[in-house]
Amino acid sequence: MEEPFAIWVPNSVSPDNDGINDVLNVVSSVAEPEQYELLIHDRWGRPMHRSTSIGTGWSGANAPVGVYAWQLELTDRQGRKHDRRGHVTLVR
């Protein structure tokens, strides 16, 4: 049995290679999801990043400073679907 669903997504990313918040990674109580998709969009809705692995994050490489929307769709091992949305600020 899994723990109750919980996620943590940082609200800022600073890809300056200092080892602190260089990549947006989702931290979840679901260690091995059945299905996982993280989408990052710019303010006009254009896709910037898509990952289907919980271990693959977004560094904001080649993206301008600004606010980006993220959308997470995750299905846990019991078949429960979890949808979350938020935003992240890219700073340099």
Side-chain angles (χ1 to χ4, degrees), residues 7 9-10 23-27 35-41 47-59 69-74 84-86 88:
I7 65 163
V9 182
V23 177
L24 180 146
N25 281 314
V26 174
V27 178
Q35 179 269 334
Y36 176 91
E37 183 177 50
L38 174 65
L39 302 169
I40 309 286
H41 293 89
M48 300 295 292
H49 173 81
R50 177 180 180 265
S51 64
T52 57
S53 171
I54 199 163
T56 304
W58 179 63
S59 69
W70 59 263
Q71 178 181 346
L72 174 68
E73 293 182 4
L74 181 148
R84 299 293 188 272
R85 297 168 193 263
V88 60

Side-chain angles (χ1 to χ4, degrees), residues 5 21-22 24 26 28 31 58 60 88-89:
F5 178 72
N21 287 342
D22 290 329
L24 180 146
V26 174
S28 173
W58 179 63
V88 60
T89 302

Side-chain angles (χ1 to χ4, degrees), residues 56-68:
T56 304
W58 179 63
S59 69
N62 302 318
V65 168
V67 177
Y68 295 83

